[in-house]
Amino acid sequence: MQRKLIHLFGFLLILTISIGFIENPFTSSFVDQMKDADVTVIKKQDPLYEEIIEKAKEYQVPAVNAEIHKVWKATPGYNGLQVDVEASYKKMQAKGTFNEDLLVFRQVKPSIHFEDLEASPMYRGNPDKPMVSFLINVAWGNEYIPDMLETLNKYHVKATFFLEGRWAKENPDMAKMIVEAGHEVGNHSYSHPDMSKLSAADIREQLSKTNDVLKSVTDTTPTWFAPPSGSMRDEVVTIADEMQMKTVMWSVDTIDWQRPEPHVLVERVMSKVHNGALILMHPTSSTSESLETLIISIRNKGYSFGSLSMMINEERLSTTNTKSDN
């Protein structure tokens, strides 16, 4: 009888240990790791998997850091591209052959970002980014703004409007109309002075008064400042930066204040448009009449449109399976 009890106790002990082993989370984790290891071994034995790893190098596009360029000053960064080997393998596994069209990419961020840069004006976006931005300075030209907004809306183009503070105070409904249409609003000083000749105190007053008006009228706080006529000195840029605003200039000028014929304006821009172009314009008859043709022409050259904040966004516009030129 005693021997039977010993055998029974031993059986129950073994059973308890076995159940504990099966339910042990560390055991489950170990088993899962072994399964993953088996899958990895299978992949590594598959010539297709190895081929994807090898060819992935050809499609890699390095991320571009933001920098203070010696000519173009503050320049945004741009994401790079890497082949997602695992995702690409899954898509090609069914046929078992390498197919460039089935490659899956992931974006790689740069290590230095636009917001990391010291105070410096921005003249263009990243030269690898096929986007342009319309910078529309507003201190007059009310009669042309509704038509321009209608055209921008028709083609789903978002622009950055730089509003003079005095103008926004006198035309609150029109300022609201610009924001409600989905466009970005920037600071264009309060009374359009030559910023390069102002004292530090006057610079701050011009910027803060405009920000106060825009906050009151449009409920937005500008993060961009465009000096009237592009006139500035280093202290202007530094003070704007201290007030959480980046200073922006332009790389393509419509010179629309001279009221050129619409076709002249279009030709002027199209001869100079480029990746990351910042195109300066104002609400004038020339711009209003040429805007539709200008948008279509720029799109036909393969560029997209975006506000300044969209321009400095590091996200690549497309992950097209294109080999790096580097």
Side-chain angles (χ1 to χ4, degrees), residues 36-167:
D36 290 341
D38 288 342
V39 171
T40 301
V41 169
I42 292 171
K43 287 179 180 176
K44 287 186 176 180
Q45 290 176 347
D46 188 338
L48 172 61
Y49 190 79
E50 294 299 319
E51 185 178 4
I52 295 172
I53 291 176
E54 183 61 31
K55 289 187 175 180
K57 302 169 188 175
E58 302 175 24
Y59 296 87
Q60 182 171 320
V61 180
V64 180
N65 284 332
E67 65 168 348
I68 304 294
H69 191 274
K70 62 182 179 181
V71 174
W72 299 101
K73 305 304 179 183
T75 304
Y78 200 38
N79 285 354
L81 286 179
Q82 281 185 350
V83 172
D84 186 325
V85 174
E86 299 295 325
S88 299
Y89 177 70
K90 286 180 181 178
K91 292 186 72 173
M92 297 182 203
Q93 198 173 11
K95 291 190 176 181
T97 57
F98 181 86
N99 184 342
E100 181 183 41
D101 295 332
L102 296 180
L103 284 172
V104 178
F105 291 86
R106 62 169 175 264
Q107 299 201 21
V108 182
K109 290 186 172 295
S111 57
I112 302 175
H113 309 287
F114 189 76
E115 57 268 24
D116 299 330
L117 301 178
E118 62 188 34
S120 178
M122 173 182 172
Y123 286 80
R124 69 169 185 188
N126 189 284
D128 292 333
K129 187 169 186 174
M131 175 183 277
V132 304
S133 292
F134 287 150
L135 313 182
I136 305 172
N137 291 351
V138 182
W140 33 262
N142 295 21
E143 63 270 36
Y144 304 110
I145 291 175
D147 285 345
M148 291 176 65
L149 288 175
E150 183 177 346
T151 302
L152 292 170
N153 180 63
K154 177 180 178 180
Y155 291 96
H156 309 289
V157 172
K158 299 304 179 187
T160 301
F161 285 77
F162 288 91
L163 309 184
E164 181 196 74
R166 180 177 53 190
W167 178 90

Side-chain angles (χ1 to χ4, degrees), residues 294-313:
L294 191 59
I295 291 171
I296 294 171
S297 300
I298 290 173
R299 278 227 171 104
N300 286 341
K301 291 196 76 170
Y303 298 103
S304 64
F305 291 91
S307 66
L308 271 174
S309 292
M310 294 165 70
M311 177 65 81
I312 68 167
N313 189 311

